[in-house]
């Protein structure tokens, strides 16, 4: 049984990783800025130890990592900024090294090491580079686009109107993964460190075009969903960062060797987009569907 510290434990990736580790029988130390939040309480109910830490307060991070065997680390620029993400990511790496942890698994993003020009990919790559120079044994897992995002935000708004509004051509494939698979793979890496130390691995569980995604969503939701290509200029008005990302998806493409991952690590239980879509409670997410045939 390992004691594994998990940052971002009240978020999608960290939460999925914490739950996978608890299911496997490990001790999970959920690290969060908000230890009394409903998500933190839910983790306590599952058996996790919850500790408060602020990544801009190195003392609190050192205290949270003391006595742990390993660390799952996630950083994000959303809600802060890119410089903050890099600073906090480096703090986590340095604290893990100072604590003498046996393994640090950092989650970033697929293709972040390929000079994409996407700002929040580049910030994650800076943290990856700092990790490679540290003394702590490391693994980088780099997830593709999140399936979970299709049940929120502008995508969910569009689905309510019968459109899959996505800023990509209908025929351009995109690698995808749900948070539950990220957590399962992270747990696998943490439990089998010897196989994964020193490796960077792009991960995805499916690859579909927007046209195919619209077809799958049509079946899952039970009413016609049509792909509508949102102009990049419209995205750019909201975020130049996201516009750069979708431009990369549409021109270079976000690809991952899904077949190899499924072959080499079947125990993860990879979910296709159809699996994910079928598992969503669309009537609750889209109340208007209840009144439609």
């Amino acid at each position: 049984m390992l004691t594994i510290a998990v940052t971002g434990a009240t978020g999608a990736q960290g939460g999925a990783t914490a739950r996978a580790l608890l299911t496997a029988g490990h001790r999970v130390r959920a690290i969060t800025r908000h230890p009394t939040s409903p998500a933190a309480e839910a983790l306590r109910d599952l058996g996790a130890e919850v500790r408060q830490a602020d990544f801009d307060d190195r003392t609190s991070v050192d205290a949270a990592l003391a006595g742990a065997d390993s660390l799952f680390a996630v950083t994000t620029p959303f809600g802060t900024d890119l410089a903050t993400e890099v600073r906090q990511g480096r703090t986590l790496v340095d604290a893990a090294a100072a604590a003498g942890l046996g393994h640090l698994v950092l989650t970033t993003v697929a293709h972040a090491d390929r000079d994409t020009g996407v700002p929040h990919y580049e910030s994650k790559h800076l943290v990856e580079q700092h990790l490679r120079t540290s003394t702590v044994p490391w693994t980088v897992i780099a997830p593709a686009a999140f399936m979970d995002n299709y049940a929120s935000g502008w995508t969910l708004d569009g689905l309510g109107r019968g459109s899959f509004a996505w800023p990509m051509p209908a025929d351009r494939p995109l690698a995808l993964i749900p948070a539950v698979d990220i957590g399962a793979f992270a747990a696998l890496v943490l439990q089998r460190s010897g196989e994964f130390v020193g490796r960077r691995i792009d991960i995805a569980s499916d690859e579909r075009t927007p046209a195919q995604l619209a077809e799958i969503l049509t079946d899952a939701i039970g009413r016609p969903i049509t792909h509508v290509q949102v102009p990049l200029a419209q995205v750019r008005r909201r975020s130049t960062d996201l516009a750069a990302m979708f431009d990369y998806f549409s021109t270079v493409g976000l690809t991952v060797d899904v077949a190899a991952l499924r072959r080499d690590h079947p125990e993860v239980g990879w979910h296709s987009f159809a699996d994910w879509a079928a598992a969503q409670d669309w009537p609750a997410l889209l109340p208007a569907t209840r009144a439609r045939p």
Side-chain angles (χ1 to χ4, degrees):
M1 183 186 292
L2 298 170
T3 297
I4 301 173
V6 177
T7 71
T10 56
Q13 295 189 69
T17 301
R19 290 188 291 272
L21 289 167
L22 288 166
T23 299
H26 296 286
R27 290 182 292 263
V28 170
R29 186 178 296 170
I31 300 175
T32 175
R33 289 181 300 164
H34 306 292
T36 60
S37 69
E41 292 296 343
L43 288 172
R44 278 196 187 90
D45 291 342
L46 292 174
E49 173 192 6
V50 178
R51 290 201 184 182
Q52 191 278 338
D54 184 327
F55 299 159
D56 282 322
D57 176 4
R58 174 64 187 271
T59 300
S60 71
V61 176
D62 289 340
L65 296 184
D69 297 304
S70 307
L71 169 65
F72 173 82
V74 57
T75 63
T76 178
F78 302 112
T80 56
D81 54 54
L82 300 178
T84 298
E85 179 181 27
V86 174
R87 183 180 68 252
Q88 292 180 345
R90 288 170 173 167
T91 294
L92 282 172
V93 170
D94 293 345
L101 299 191
H103 195 190
L104 191 165
V105 175
L106 175 69
T107 178
T108 63
V109 65
H111 291 210
D113 59 340
R114 303 192 190 187
D115 193 24
T116 63
V118 179
H120 75 274
Y121 283 34
E122 299 298 323
S123 60
K124 286 175 169 51
H125 189 221
L126 288 173
V127 179
E128 289 185 27
Q129 290 175 314
H130 186 70
L131 178 61
R132 288 173 181 270
T133 66
S134 76
T135 58
V136 65
W138 59 269
T139 304
V140 173
I141 64 171
F146 288 6
M147 294 181 190
D148 309 76
N149 288 343
Y150 295 166
S152 64
W154 76 36
T155 308
L156 187 63
D157 292 341
L159 294 178
R161 298 187 295 271
S163 66
F164 174 53
W166 202 243
M168 289 179 61
D171 60 352
R172 177 49 118 168
L174 178 68
L176 301 155
I177 190 167
V180 65
D181 288 0
I182 301 171
F185 189 76
L188 174 70
V189 171
L190 286 158
Q191 293 174 96
R192 289 164 36 185
S193 296
E195 294 180 36
F196 294 99
V197 164
R199 295 176 60 188
R200 185 191 189 283
I201 308 165
D202 284 350
I203 59 172
S205 56
D206 203 354
E207 187 175 271
R208 297 290 171 183
T209 67
Q212 291 171 330
L213 296 176
E215 292 175 3
I216 292 168
L217 289 166
T218 293
D219 291 340
I221 295 172
R223 61 185 170 112
I225 301 294
T226 303
H227 169 247
V228 175
Q229 185 174 351
V230 177
L232 277 180
Q234 183 175 326
V235 180
R236 195 170 289 112
R237 285 195 291 271
R238 293 189 179 193
S239 168
T240 55
D241 191 338
L242 292 180
M245 181 184 73
F246 283 114
D247 184 44
Y248 182 83
F249 288 173
S250 299
T251 54
V252 179
L254 187 70
T255 57
V256 175
D257 193 343
V258 173
L261 287 164
R262 287 178 172 271
R263 180 192 67 232
D264 296 342
H265 308 294
E267 60 272 58
V268 170
W270 306 99
H271 293 80
S272 68
F273 186 76
D275 296 333
W276 174 85
Q280 304 311 301
D281 186 356
W282 295 110
L285 290 166
L286 300 167
T289 62
R290 294 175 180 158
R292 300 196 181 198

